[in-house]
Amino acid sequence: MNHASNQSTGTPTRLRTFTALAAAGSLLLLASCGDDDPESAATTVAITTVAVSSETTEAASETTAATPTTEAMSETTEAMSDTTAPTMDAAYCAAAEEINRASDAPTLEQVRAYAELAPDDIAEIVAEVLAAYEEVGDLEALFGDPEFVASIEAITEFENATCGFDNEVSAEPIPDDPFCANAAELNSQDSAPTVEQVEEYAELAPAELAEPVAVVLAALEAADGNFEAIFSDPAVGPALGEITDFEAEYCGFEDDESASDTELDPNAIRIDVDATDYMFDMELPVEAGRYSFVMTNNGAEPHLMIFLQLEEDAVLDEVMESEGEEGVIEFHESDVAFPGTEAIVTLDMEPGRWIMICPIPNAEDVPHLALGMIHEFTIE
């Protein structure tokens, strides 16, 4: 799941004890949900490029009628490739243009009329889309199905070739989608979500998220609302990862984090880290340079690497008490490594004071750093 950026901003970066949760893929994605231009998300293909709605997934997952057959797709592609110039079908293209220019999704009647006018080369795929629309009754819901989107893309390509359109399928989400709006609100807040907030999230979440959200909610309730403590449950990490992946695709969330920060740089100095409960076993660097720290979690609990460059006169206890608001020059973190997995953080280490910590709390809500997972060292 997405998490707070590892990239240094050159200014003190806030270190929260639940940074680990965000890094593990909690509901706290520091991103936003929505279009850059809501009006541009209006339909751009004949069946319209409406965005994903909060009610999409269950309907879409149950709908197979919208899936274009391989044979139909190949026939359409072949027919299009054999066409040296657009074959203008005035009635069909006029119907397509009318739908494309509309600010709302087409009605079932409009799609039926479009299907009646569709040329033979695309008629089968259009008929499948129409059948799906008639079965589900909500065109927006179908856009949660990648195969349905593939059908729309085929129709779009055919329209462009036949009618001379220059359309693209838009995957932009609806800004006011209730689920995405709720997720974005949780992601932007400065505190871990409460039981009540996760309950609301669960009510708005599409059906295919029901199981992972239920895992997180049950763990949070068992931990008496202490979100940091839920990582002692081995099922939580995978559930949060599934939630994050779904949010990213469904809501269009973007991760501001530079991916290179959590990937191995072959040109960097590699340092292998053996993480156990509760110790980092490694050879600490002493010289300035670019390093890739590769942590293998051989413990029974999840672990995370956070590197902080401290101001020269910073007092470590005060840095921790301020949650990183004071005394910090740079902040870098890895993804969370669950038992038996690896995590990487790559960074340029400048001369000065550095600390390496794992802030994830154990089942007793004691941060791992307080149990020994903290190193203070100096880079010359």
Side-chain angles (χ1 to χ4, degrees):
M1 219 175 228
N2 294 333
H3 54 88
S5 174
N6 295 334
Q7 188 68 32
S8 169
T9 62
T11 59
T13 306
R14 181 174 184 180
L15 170 63
R16 296 182 295 270
T17 56
F18 63 86
T19 299
L21 314 180
S26 70
L27 309 176
L28 305 176
L29 291 170
L30 301 183
S32 59
C33 169
D35 291 338
D36 290 334
D37 181 3
E39 293 184 0
S40 69
T43 57
T44 57
V45 294
I47 308 302
T48 197
T49 54
V50 294
V52 181
S53 92
S54 62
E55 301 173 354
T56 88
T57 309
E58 181 175 8
S61 62
E62 296 174 356
T63 302
T64 57
T67 306
T69 64
T70 303
E71 181 179 357
M73 291 286 286
S74 61
E75 289 176 355
T76 300
T77 304
E78 182 178 354
M80 290 171 61
S81 62
D82 290 340
T83 304
T84 57
T87 302
M88 196 66 180
D89 187 314
Y92 165 72
C93 293
E97 184 174 10
E98 179 182 358
I99 291 177
N100 295 341
R101 290 181 177 276
S103 59
D104 299 322
T107 64
L108 187 56
E109 289 69 25
Q110 285 178 307
V111 178
R112 285 169 177 160
Y114 178 92
E116 291 178 359
L117 295 169
D120 292 342
D121 292 337
I122 199 67
E124 183 175 351
I125 294 177
V126 173
E128 292 171 347
V129 169
L130 174 59
Y133 192 3
E134 290 176 330
E135 179 179 351
V136 176
D138 181 358
L139 193 63
E140 294 182 8
L142 294 170
F143 274 80
D145 183 354
E147 294 178 337
F148 180 83
V149 174
S151 296
I152 297 302
E153 289 175 346
I155 293 172
T156 302
E157 291 177 6
F158 182 84
E159 283 186 1
N160 292 346
T162 303
C163 305
F165 295 158
D166 186 19
N167 292 325
E168 294 181 359
V169 173
S170 170
E172 295 293 339
I174 298 175
D176 59 356
D177 178 280
F179 167 70
C180 293
N182 178 268
E185 182 179 353
L186 286 179
N187 297 340
S188 63
Q189 70 183 30
D190 287 335
S191 59
T194 64
V195 171
E196 291 74 19
Q197 286 178 315
V198 178
E199 286 175 342
E200 181 181 2
Y201 181 95
E203 291 177 359
L204 295 171
E208 58 189 84
L209 267 192
E211 184 174 346
V213 173
V215 168
V216 174
L217 180 57
L220 186 57
E221 291 173 336
D224 294 326
N226 185 340
F227 202 89
E228 287 84 353
I230 69 176
F231 286 90
S232 61
D233 184 339
V236 167
L240 290 172
E242 188 174 345
I243 291 170
T244 299
D245 292 343
F246 184 88
E247 284 185 354
E249 180 177 355
Y250 185 86
C251 299
F253 288 154
E254 295 181 358
D255 187 0
D256 293 332
E257 177 189 353
S258 171
S260 63
D261 289 342
T262 53
E263 293 180 354
L264 181 67
D265 182 349
N267 297 316
I269 300 170
R270 173 171 175 153
I271 294 183
D272 290 302
V273 181
D274 179 12
T276 55
D277 308 328
Y278 303 96
M279 180 185 299
F280 287 128
D281 186 5
M282 57 184 291
E283 184 176 344
L284 290 168
V286 295
E287 297 181 352
R290 184 164 180 79
Y291 294 89
S292 281
F293 294 84
V294 182
M295 176 178 66
T296 301
N297 187 351
N298 292 312
E301 299 183 20
H303 294 299
L304 164 74
M305 294 181 290
I306 289 182
F307 288 90
L308 299 173
Q309 183 179 11
L310 305 181
E311 294 177 356
E312 184 177 353
D313 58 351
V315 177
L316 184 56
D317 288 344
E318 293 177 357
V319 171
M320 294 301 174
E321 289 175 3
S322 71
E323 296 182 345
E325 292 285 0
E326 299 177 3
V328 176
I329 299 174
E330 290 194 23
F331 169 88
H332 303 266
E333 71 179 322
S334 70
D335 290 326
V336 165
F338 291 92
T341 67
E342 289 186 346
I344 297 171
V345 59
T346 297
L347 66 151
D348 294 306
M349 306 196 85
E350 301 293 337
R353 297 175 59 201
W354 288 83
I355 61 170
M356 174 188 184
I357 63 173
C358 175
I360 297 178
N362 63 9
E364 287 71 42
D365 199 24
V366 179
H368 293 177
L369 64 92
L371 299 171
M373 300 192 80
I374 179 169
H375 291 287
E376 184 171 3
F377 57 101
T378 300
I379 295 294
E380 301 294 341

